[in-house]
């Protein structure tokens, strides 16, 4: 395991001090850590959310796939469960989580800096690229006119698919990524589309209706995992939220020919309607390592997890979906505690994501 | 709550055809609507479960919850495929399929990928995979009739079949789902209720260990509602667990049981029961010695 490279000086110092204090403790057998007090002070000074690293402005309308954040560990494959760690490294990760200081200097409930770019795909109605550490995902939203289902004539349709590109990891080649793709797609559908009656959906399906029973918008949300560095689900959820707020649905003028059954439509290519994305939830994955939970786990941390739950929470603080991963069973009270922690974290994530999306939109406009 | 296993039919018996005329859609938002089958909101459908439904399988079980009818067979443990990497723990290969006639509209009858992976996730935490390294256990579930809450029934039935096959588990896995319809929480929903639900909550747990192996929530839920649903489900799960235990004991003890005349199957059932017993005594891991030495020796043929 190599050292993370994008830490600032204070965090590096804190990490080195932790490593030293661990050594000292084992040498002298003392319980109390040296320099522990100081470390706490330094970390809290940094604030809850680390500032985004200044990045060069991306060229407009160009898909830049080269990661601008250096990769932490080029030698390790980024795939859950496939990380080869030595016993010492495992202990270091677990011990760090227990002491609330993780290997990259974060606290347990801190996300990595999120960077959002919008309008990355000109052909789509809306698109966004989200980077979280070295995790890199692109989401495109395409709208097509279609026929509503006979069971729900006044509602449009939304489909979510995720594709894991072999560029992210060699095991995604061919059918290798299929299982992960299916799992991510199902989890996202569960978290964003609400119940069967359409209640509680993040996207208001009735706003997609054009002519009741005849014509509606079909929204195709396609996610692409370009690079995987852990916590794919949260990144995809954030990217979908950003892509939806970037989406413009063309205005449709409907003209009924006198006796014809099919309405005539005129799709405007100048006027676009924006989506109301305030109800779209964010997804927070809490990974349980030992007795503690962490957010935004790296692949190394994911390999140490006993189980994880992904909770999607909207602005009102209501749960919109929940998925459990990992084989180990959980006590019901632990699950309820994790849900309440996720609710707390989600409100911070929503505000950070909102400001990032706003910044990305204004950067794309200028 | 759930189950009148004694009054339920012993063999597969197609239920009377559901009324052809589509009734007026019940208004679920009303506080006092009545469920189509006159159940209370917090009342499960009568459950019937039997292990040992398929002779050729290492273990099998049949479950009937209202109109939902499921059969699960377990094969193996067998050697894992050569292409698979070495693994010092066993693997579960889960496959859920629907018959073409299981639903109102004729289905494709192919594998249901989503349910298969959900079944796997619900069971992997309960099965002691270390007890069969390098090998694979096949779990094939077939939904004969889909009448709502299919996945919970599949999961419960599969864990009963695993016990019947003598695969070591920490505990039986029981699973129950709750639908949110308007203001009401409705347990063990039928397919009509499921198609109108605002949200669903499915839990699978090991009742004696009070551990949740799988949990999914869809739709918008407030925290208090999640608490309520979880309490409701856990209570139903523990009751379902009792029914499943009874059905295991029944399949061993009753001589009249259609399926259990084979002594081999009988012995396997006993192993499973012993496993359960030591779990009930508070031992987290079953005694290996208990399991490897059957209490009843198979009858020796006279020389």
């Amino acid at each position: 395991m190599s050292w993370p490279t994008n830490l600032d000086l204070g965090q590096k110092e804190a990490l080195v001090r932790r490593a030293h204090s661990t050594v000292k403790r084992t040498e002298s057998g003392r319980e109390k850590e040296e320099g522990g007090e100081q470390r706490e002070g330094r970390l809290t000074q940094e604030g809850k959310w680390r500032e985004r690293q200044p990045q060069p402005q991306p060229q407009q309308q160009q898909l830049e796939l080269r990661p601008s954040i250096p990769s932490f560990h080029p030698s390790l494959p980024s795939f859950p469960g496939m990380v080869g760690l030595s016993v010492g490294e495992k202990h270091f990760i677990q011990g760090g989580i227990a002491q609330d200081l993780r290997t990259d200097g974060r606290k347990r409930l801190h996300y990595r800096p999120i960077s959002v770019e919008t309008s990355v795909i000109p052909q789509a109605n809306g698109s966004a690229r989200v980077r979280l550490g070295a995790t890199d995902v692109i989401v495109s939203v395409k709208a097509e006119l279609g026929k509503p289902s006979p069971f729900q004539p006044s509602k449009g349709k939304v489909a979510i698919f995720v594709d894991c590109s072999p560029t992210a990891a060699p095991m995604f080649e061919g059918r290798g990524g299929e299982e992960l793709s299916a799992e991510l797609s199902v989890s996202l559908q569960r978290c964003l589309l609400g119940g069967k009656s359409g209640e509680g959906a993040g996207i208001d399906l009735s706003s997609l209706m054009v002519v009741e029973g005849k014509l509606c918008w079909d929204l195709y949300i396609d996610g692409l995992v370009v690079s995987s560095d852990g916590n794919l689900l949260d990144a995809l959820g954030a990217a979908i939220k950003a892509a939806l707020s970037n989406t413009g649905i063309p205005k449709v003028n409907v003209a009924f020919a006198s006796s014809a059954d099919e309405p005539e439509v005129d799709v405007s290519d100048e006027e676009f309607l924006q989506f109301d994305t305030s109800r779209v939830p964010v997804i927070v994955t809490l990974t349980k390592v030992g007795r503690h939970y962490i957010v935004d786990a790296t692949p190394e941390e994911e390999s140490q997890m006993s189980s994880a739950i992904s909770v999607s929470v909207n602005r009102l603080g209501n749960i919109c979906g929940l998925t459990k991963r990992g084989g180990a069973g959980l006590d019901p009270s632990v699950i309820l505690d994790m849900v309440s922690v996720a609710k707390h974290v989600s409100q911070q994530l929503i505000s950070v994501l909102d400001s990032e999306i706003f910044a990305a939109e204004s950067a794309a406009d200028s | 709550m759930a189950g009148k296993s004694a009054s339920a039919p012993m063999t597969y018996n197609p239920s009377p055809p559901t009324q052809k005329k589509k009734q007026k859609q019940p208004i679920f938002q009303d506080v006092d609507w009545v469920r189509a089958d006159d159940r209370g909101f917090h009342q499960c459908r009568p459950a019937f479960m039997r292990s040992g439904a398929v002779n050729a399988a290492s273990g099998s079980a049949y479950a009937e919850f209202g109109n939902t009818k499921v059969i699960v067979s377990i094969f193996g443990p067998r050697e894992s495929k050569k292409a698979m990497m070495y693994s010092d723990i066993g693997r579960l290969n889960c496959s859920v399929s629907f018959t073409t006639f299981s639903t109102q509209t004729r289905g494709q009858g192919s594998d249901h990928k989503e349910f298969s992976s959900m079944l796997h996730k619900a069971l992997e935490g309960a099965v002691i995979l270390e007890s069969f390294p390098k090998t694979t256990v096949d779990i094939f579930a077939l939904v004969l009739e889909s009448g709502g809450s299919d996945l919970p029934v599949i999961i419960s039935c599969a864990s009963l079949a695993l016990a019947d096959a003598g695969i070591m588990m920490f505990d039986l896995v029981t699973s129950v789902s709750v639908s949110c319809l308007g203001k009401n929480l409705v347990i063990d929903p039928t397919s009509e209720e499921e198609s109108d639900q605002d949200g669903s909550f499915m839990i699978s747990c090991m009742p004696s260990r009070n551990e949740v192996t799988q949990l999914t929530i869809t739709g918008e839920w407030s925290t208090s509602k999640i608490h309520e649903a979880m309490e409701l489900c856990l209570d139903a799960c523990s009751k379902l667990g009792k029914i499943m235990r009874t059905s295991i004991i029944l399949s061993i003890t009753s001589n009249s049981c259609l399926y259990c005349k084979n002594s081999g199957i009988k012995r396997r059932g006993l192993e499973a029961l012993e496993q359960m017993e030591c779990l009930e005594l508070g031992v987290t891991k079953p005694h290996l010695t208990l399991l490897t030495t059957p209490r009843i020796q198979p009858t020796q043929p006279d020389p």
Side-chain angles (χ1 to χ4, degrees), chain A residues 82 183 186 190 194-197 199-200 314 318-324 326-327 329-332 335-336 343, chain B residues 114 118 121 124-125 194 196-198 210-223 226-227 234:
Chain A
M82 299 296 280
E183 194 183 320
V186 169
R190 194 176 290 136
K196 279 224 178 77
S197 68
E199 196 72 26
N314 64 12
N318 281 343
I319 312 297
C320 299
L322 190 150
T323 326
K324 181 176 170 293
L330 285 174
D331 195 85
I335 291 184
L336 293 174
K343 244 170 91 170
Chain B
E114 194 192 328
M118 294 286 291
K121 282 185 205 162
E124 68 176 345
E194 268 183 341
D196 280 308
Q197 67 191 4
D198 298 330
N210 197 29
E211 254 182 38
V212 177
T213 60
Q214 187 54 250
L215 172 67
T216 55
I217 302 175
T218 55
E220 198 172 339
W221 294 73
S222 62
T223 317
I226 288 182
H227 278 257
L234 289 175

Side-chain angles (χ1 to χ4, degrees), chain A residues 171-209:
Chain A
M171 351 16 197
F172 292 162
E173 205 218 320
R175 302 188 61 188
E178 223 167 59
E179 202 176 312
L180 185 64
S181 299
E183 194 183 320
L184 289 170
S185 307
V186 169
S187 306
L188 286 169
Q189 281 163 12
R190 194 176 290 136
C191 289
L192 297 171
L193 299 187
K196 279 224 178 77
S197 68
E199 196 72 26
I203 304 154
D204 186 12
L205 294 181
S206 45
S207 69
L208 294 170
M209 204 256 304

Side-chain angles (χ1 to χ4, degrees), chain B residues 267-284:
Chain B
R267 210 178 66 239
R268 264 205 307 278
L270 249 186
E271 283 168 17
L273 188 71
E274 272 171 338
Q275 190 179 329
M276 299 297 155
E277 275 171 355
C278 52
L279 281 169
E280 263 163 6
L281 289 170
V283 186
T284 41

